[in-house]
Amino acid sequence: MRRGTNNNYSASVEADYPFALPDHFDVESQLQLLGQHLSVHVAADADGLAVNIDSQNELIGRLGARMTRPFDIASGRLMPYPGIDVLYAFAGGKNVEISEARFTSGTIGDTVQSSVGVNGTNTPKISRSVAAFLTSSRSATRDSVAGC
């Protein structure tokens, strides 16, 4: 495929607030809004057909929560957590044109995502601190979740 000129812009705003629970547990509410603009100008595929993806815009909202509890260890702090998020696509999808044929692209759809993870930070012996994050998640779209 002959490449065209591509531009991609994205921005995200996120807010969260932890609510203290007994025994050092916290429930952290999360709210995020993510916008993305992708502009792909006309290019040609391997057969020389004109491919026009045009401009694609996506606006996604995320509402979620996770439960955390920090554990102090000899070299720092670990904070494991389970979490759940609901993602909603407010806007997105446009037309894609290949030669003279026009196709409609879709959105990500409404998605439920569950995750488990751990955050870790070391206690710096010198002046340098290191943080590590590990998350595993599973997502299901509205069509594959019973009752949605």
Side-chain angles (χ1 to χ4, degrees):
M1 179 174 200
R2 184 181 46 122
R3 296 181 186 263
T5 305
N6 305 319
N7 296 305
N8 182 20
Y9 304 99
S10 61
S12 175
V13 176
E14 183 175 344
D16 58 54
Y17 188 81
F19 296 94
L21 299 175
D23 297 322
H24 305 289
F25 282 94
D26 286 328
V27 171
E28 184 180 293
S29 59
Q30 300 174 331
L31 180 63
Q32 181 179 19
L33 192 60
L34 170 74
Q36 180 174 344
H37 171 79
L38 174 64
S39 179
V40 179
H41 302 287
V42 178
D45 69 4
D47 296 321
L49 298 173
V51 177
N52 186 2
I53 297 176
D54 200 20
S55 294
Q56 305 288 320
N57 297 303
E58 193 88 54
L59 181 62
I60 301 166
R62 179 179 68 87
L63 178 64
R66 69 180 187 169
M67 181 176 282
T68 63
R69 186 192 188 289
F71 293 95
D72 291 323
I73 58 174
S75 59
R77 177 176 273 201
L78 291 177
M79 190 167 59
Y81 62 87
I84 188 148
D85 296 303
V86 176
L87 289 88
Y88 178 77
F90 292 101
K94 274 197 113 173
N95 294 319
V96 175
E97 193 173 298
I98 300 175
S99 190
E100 301 283 324
R102 194 171 204 72
F103 303 92
T104 301
S105 64
T107 64
I108 66 160
D110 301 337
T111 303
V112 176
Q113 183 177 50
S114 60
S115 59
V116 293
V118 64
N119 298 342
T121 56
N122 71 327
T123 304
K125 305 246 189 261
I126 307 180
S127 63
R128 192 170 293 223
S129 179
V130 176
F133 310 92
L134 176 66
T135 302
S136 177
S137 61
R138 179 167 174 88
S139 300
T141 60
R142 173 184 267 201
D143 295 337
S144 63
V145 178
C148 286

